[in-house]
Amino acid sequence: MQMGIHMPSMLETLETTLSRLSPRNVQSYVQSKGWTRFRRSGRLMVWNRPEKLDQVLVPMDASRPDFTERMFDAVEKLAGFEARSMESVIADLLTYDSDVLRYRVDSPRAQRGTLPLGQAFDLLAGAKQSLLAAAHSALVPRKYHPKLSRTQAQKLLEACELQQ
């Protein structure tokens, strides 16, 4: 008897990620980047960049059978226009309606995409402390908070999500 584990291909993973994009967030993102709404063409919204004579088509209906293909085309166009990777554009689109706080480790290991486990735990603990301190300072402005235990700050922390 042979058993195996299904590992999703890169294409399956990308398709799943694209299917999670919100048409509303993508259109807001496009508009925030200076594209202007041109016209609606069926279930697609056409956005223009007059100075470049360029267009991007954003699907408006996630239930379209070709939604992920059309979203791929839109993300590919945006990534090319912004001279960024598709992955970074997708990450921004997935979190467009969220506040994003990024922490960075600058080391040779981090550049390879790895961290020693202890350092990763310390990074997460530091992120937690900084979020709690910021929440406490928003509630009661002070230079130092001896205890980071306010219920409202804890609830904010519980609502936060970690993205890979």
Side-chain angles (χ1 to χ4, degrees), residues 1-161:
M1 182 169 148
Q2 203 173 25
M3 293 179 61
I5 298 174
H6 173 69
M7 296 294 290
S9 69
M10 200 174 349
L11 184 58
E12 286 174 309
T13 305
L14 178 59
E15 191 171 314
T16 301
T17 302
L18 290 169
S19 71
R20 292 181 20 229
L21 293 176
S22 157
R24 177 184 290 160
N25 285 355
V26 174
Q27 290 192 58
S28 296
Y29 176 89
V30 167
Q31 187 173 16
S32 76
K33 296 296 183 175
W35 295 79
T36 56
R37 189 182 317 219
F38 177 61
R39 67 181 161 86
R40 185 177 177 152
S41 176
R43 291 187 279 176
L44 295 169
M45 182 62 71
V46 181
W47 295 83
N48 276 350
R49 286 302 290 224
E51 75 277 7
K52 293 269 188 177
L53 298 176
D54 213 349
Q55 291 183 329
V56 63
L57 306 175
V58 178
M60 298 184 338
D61 182 2
S63 66
R64 289 175 56 114
D66 64 343
F67 177 79
T68 56
E69 293 168 36
R70 297 296 66 82
M71 200 55 85
F72 179 90
D73 294 342
V75 170
E76 186 177 45
K77 173 70 82 170
L78 292 169
F81 185 82
E82 297 175 23
R84 297 173 58 205
S85 72
M86 285 184 65
E87 292 81 9
S88 65
V89 172
I90 290 170
D92 287 350
L93 291 170
L94 286 169
T95 58
Y96 185 75
D97 60 350
S98 303
D99 292 325
V100 177
L101 183 59
R102 291 187 171 100
Y103 294 88
R104 178 180 166 186
V105 175
D106 189 18
S107 72
R109 287 178 107 172
Q111 289 174 1
R112 289 192 315 261
T114 65
L115 287 177
L117 199 52
Q119 188 178 4
F121 289 144
D122 291 344
L123 178 66
L124 290 173
K128 177 182 177 180
Q129 289 297 105
S130 68
L131 286 169
L132 282 172
H136 277 79
S137 291
L139 294 167
V140 180
R142 260 189 221 165
K143 288 184 180 182
Y144 177 72
H145 297 278
K147 290 185 180 181
L148 300 175
S149 58
R150 292 185 177 272
T151 304
Q152 293 165 305
Q154 292 291 335
K155 285 186 179 187
L156 170 79
L157 188 65
E158 289 169 13
C160 292
E161 296 179 355

